[in-house]
Amino acid sequence: MKPFFAPNIGSQGRLLRGLGALGLFVGAWFAFDVSTWLGIVLLAFGGFALFEALRGWCGLRACGIRTRF
């Protein structure tokens, strides 16, 4: 059995997750003007996506769900 945080995505998946994290961070920047809670949620999701991109790990794949990239 592989360790839970073992890398399970390639460079294309890492790039897409990094761009997604960037989009969530930009969205959080604008969302703080509308709602503090919305900004915090988007910031948290962006942080998780950045973690996935830097680690090369996908949470869905680790749970057995097949993803495209």
Side-chain angles (χ1 to χ4, degrees):
M1 184 171 173
K2 291 176 19 177
F4 188 70
F5 288 111
N8 60 6
I9 56 174
S11 59
Q12 187 176 12
R14 293 177 76 168
L15 177 65
L16 288 172
R17 280 160 183 79
L19 292 173
L22 180 63
L24 286 167
F25 287 142
V26 169
W29 176 269
F30 291 111
F32 272 112
D33 291 336
V34 176
S35 168
T36 303
W37 287 108
L38 178 61
I40 291 171
V41 168
L42 289 176
L43 198 63
F45 281 126
F48 184 72
L50 183 63
F51 169 76
E52 285 186 327
L54 293 175
R55 182 80 178 140
W57 174 79
C58 176
L60 292 176
R61 281 190 175 207
C63 293
I65 299 171
R66 296 300 301 165
T67 60
R68 192 172 205 183
F69 298 105

